Amino acid sequence: MTASETRPLTAVRRFPPDFLWGAATAAYQIEGAATEDGRTPSIWDTFSHTPGKVFEGHTGDVAVDHYHRFREDVGLMAGLGLNAYRFSVSWSRVQPTGRGPAVQKGLDFYRRLVDELLTAGIEPALTLYHWDLPQELEDAGGWPERATAERFAAYAGLLGDALGDRVTRWTTLNEPWCTAFLGYGSGVHAPGRTDPVAALRAAHHLNLGHGLAVQALRASLPAAARLAVSLNLHEVRPLTSSPADREAARRIDTVGNGVWLGPMLEGRYPQELFADTAHLTDWGFVREGDTETAGQPLDWLGVNYYTPTVVSQVAEGEAKPQDDGHGNSEHSPWPGAEDIAFHQADGARTAMGWPVDPSGLYDLLIRISARHPGLPLVVSENGAAYEDVVAPDGSVHDPERAAYVYAHLEAVHRAVESGAEVHGYFLWSLLDNFEWAYGYAKRFGAVHVDYDTLRRTPKSSARWYARVARSGELHTPGTDV
């Protein structure tokens, strides 16, 4: 039996009693209040206000106004039976220039949010960085510069001091692959730069910043704190079994996964990464001791998954499909692998155009568990965008989303039964929100948001997910969706 084959499941698919059932969001996507209480622009404020960068000029200035409606949103979480909530802090809200003391009004917002969560019996899972670098730090060079990693560590210490008495579960970075390679490589994300060397420099300094932030948090947090990073690891598959396609998959796995897993979990970069990118850089920006710093011990690893990555080697002169699911750009987000083609499998797709294939999540969890036994895993993002329709009575019936989540929770349950140490699942996302370069055109939320009135309405998939979360059992979506 191969890793991706389905095997019989128990009659009742029951998750461990202490399993985390959550939903996730990101600050710039939901908070709004872009200029209130001392907050200054982040790179996403600048990027979204730059003509042509975001769908129809949408911005996160208001987003879904979570800054003023957080109590209502926590009430929604409680109503959905969630026992955990993963959110990120806006760096420029609590430290506007990326330097110096914290702004108390910014910290107070997160104190109020965390207190509201704890009162509702919901565990806060705080992410320090979800892509919104203070613009002043980008003006000074951004993540390609070593100083940004050092500034990130100082910021982590500020948050640890302020919220360490309330928050136990911490994440340093969310999807640093996107920060480095979409932000500085292909330019489809903020800050919109298209320099493969800058992207690799950014990747290294994100690794370093992660390690320095873990050190800063360990110094300021109680011993019970549990620290992690959330990675959008790629389940890479060759289009065919040819040696050329298998080598293409190896190269994408290296620059998609090894660039993070090597330093963060093993304290070293894969040598293949240096060889694959030798025509771009000699990696002279890596200093002695950097990878050891990046490899700080972690208490858990967040795994973000949406769809597999299918690749092939392109012969010279052949057309190169570039449908990697990460936006359109003439510039590749895969330094050292610019000659590799990306393919999307046949079958059902989400509104993002991403194939629905939960076997990739199973394979990914099993592979990580085998390579890093004993490291607890949490699915820190998984979900789908669909073309939701509001019925005349105001309800939103979204059976496709429920079916997607059900299939991926089946994969998680199967991974647990196969021995993977998976401790939780966070649905992306709690709310419809600002979906980065897609603006408000793509809806991932379990809760529908009317962007004119900001009215929240749980979708039918949310009612089904609530039943699963409350019972800890994987019920088949039925009449409740």
Side-chain angles (χ1 to χ4, degrees):
M1 183 173 64
T2 65
S4 59
E5 289 176 340
T6 302
R7 64 181 179 82
L9 291 163
T10 56
V12 177
R13 286 165 293 220
R14 183 175 292 109
F15 286 81
D18 58 351
F19 198 78
L20 292 174
W21 293 102
T25 63
Y28 188 72
Q29 293 182 272
I30 66 167
E31 283 183 2
T35 60
E36 290 188 37
D37 295 333
R39 185 186 182 277
T40 58
S42 73
I43 55 175
W44 268 98
D45 294 273
T46 302
F47 189 79
S48 65
H49 281 269
T50 302
K53 296 297 186 182
V54 173
F55 177 77
E56 293 190 351
H58 295 171
T59 75
D61 289 359
V62 176
V64 298
D65 198 29
H66 176 72
Y67 191 75
H68 298 110
R69 297 169 179 256
F70 71 92
R71 290 187 176 86
E72 176 186 358
D73 293 337
V74 173
L76 286 168
M77 297 177 219
L80 295 179
L82 304 187
N83 60 26
Y85 172 53
R86 178 172 173 254
F87 65 96
S88 76
V89 172
S90 167
W91 189 345
S92 62
R93 191 179 297 286
V94 301
Q95 195 186 34
T97 65
R99 299 177 178 85
V103 173
Q104 289 305 310
K105 285 186 177 181
L107 287 177
D108 285 345
F109 167 70
Y110 295 105
R111 291 186 179 108
R112 292 192 299 271
L113 170 62
V114 168
D115 287 348
E116 194 78 10
L117 290 167
L118 294 173
T119 299
I122 299 170
E123 180 179 359
L126 185 153
T127 298
L128 291 171
Y129 186 77
H130 198 133
W131 308 353
D132 48 355
L133 186 71
Q135 183 61 44
E136 287 200 22
L137 291 185
E138 174 60 25
D139 293 342
W143 283 109
E145 298 301 320
R146 188 180 190 87
T148 303
E150 296 165 349
R151 297 268 54 79
F152 181 62
Y155 160 68
L158 289 177
L159 266 294
D161 289 340
L163 295 171
D165 62 335
R166 296 166 165 88
V167 177
T168 301
R169 191 173 294 271
W170 295 74
T171 299
T172 55
L173 304 169
N174 178 78
E175 298 186 354
W177 186 90
C178 295
T179 298
F181 298 125
L182 300 183
Y184 294 93
S186 67
V188 299
H189 278 193
R193 291 162 63 178
T194 55
D195 179 347
V197 177
L200 292 170
R201 289 176 60 92
H204 175 64
H205 293 131
L206 284 156
N207 279 319
L208 178 63
H210 157 77
L212 292 171
V214 171
Q215 290 178 335
L217 289 172
R218 294 281 187 212
S220 63
L221 294 177
R226 298 178 58 77
L227 308 188
V229 64
S230 286
L231 304 176
N232 57 317
L233 297 172
H234 305 266
E235 176 56 29
V236 186
R237 296 169 174 175
L239 182 66
T240 73
S241 60
S242 71
D245 286 359
R246 290 200 301 270
E247 171 62 9
R250 196 279 306 161
R251 288 165 63 193
I252 293 301
D253 181 72
T254 299
V255 76
N257 299 330
V259 67
W260 315 112
L261 293 174
M264 291 182 178
L265 298 188
E266 299 171 3
R268 62 182 182 272
Y269 283 108
Q271 288 302 308
E272 296 90 343
L273 179 66
F274 296 153
D276 293 343
T277 58
H279 62 293
L280 296 171
T281 177
D282 63 3
W283 289 79
F285 45 83
V286 179
R287 298 183 187 175
E288 185 176 356
D290 280 1
T291 53
E292 290 83 358
T293 298
Q296 298 298 305
L298 297 178
D299 301 299
W300 57 286
L301 176 68
V303 178
N304 294 1
Y305 172 86
Y306 293 92
T307 191
T309 301
V310 181
V311 299
S312 67
Q313 180 63 56
V314 178
E316 187 174 351
E318 287 184 350
K320 183 182 71 171
Q322 191 60 41
D323 190 8
D324 69 350
H326 294 296
N328 297 320
S329 173
E330 296 178 357
H331 303 272
S332 173
W334 306 95
E338 296 85 354
D339 58 338
I340 290 174
F342 292 79
H343 308 267
Q344 298 289 358
D346 295 332
R349 297 194 184 197
T350 70
M352 297 292 289
W354 300 340
V356 178
D357 188 346
S359 72
L361 179 56
Y362 174 85
D363 291 350
L364 190 59
L365 293 171
I366 293 298
R367 181 157 58 92
I368 299 169
S369 293
R371 182 152 183 171
H372 303 282
L375 177 63
L377 306 178
V378 171
V379 178
S380 43
E381 280 188 29
N382 176 245
Y386 286 103
E387 302 294 340
D388 298 326
V389 176
V390 180
D393 65 357
S395 65
V396 181
H397 184 59
D398 60 337
E400 300 92 348
R401 183 173 289 104
Y404 177 100
V405 176
Y406 173 81
H408 286 78
L409 282 173
E410 264 194 334
V412 173
H413 187 271
R414 190 155 52 94
V416 172
E417 288 198 326
S418 298
E421 194 173 337
V422 186
H423 288 203
Y425 177 92
F426 286 85
L427 177 66
W428 186 269
S429 175
L430 175 68
L431 302 160
D432 289 337
N433 55 48
F434 176 84
E435 186 50 42
W436 307 114
Y438 295 95
Y440 298 99
K442 305 296 183 185
R443 293 178 177 269
F444 277 85
V447 175
H448 179 272
V449 179
D450 182 316
Y451 293 129
D452 293 325
T453 66
L454 299 178
R455 179 182 177 185
R456 277 87 156 129
T457 303
K459 303 172 188 178
S460 59
S461 65
R463 297 194 296 274
W464 168 78
Y465 186 60
R467 183 183 176 199
V468 174
R470 290 193 184 99
S471 67
E473 297 179 355
L474 185 55
H475 302 276
T476 304
T479 57
D480 51 352
V481 298

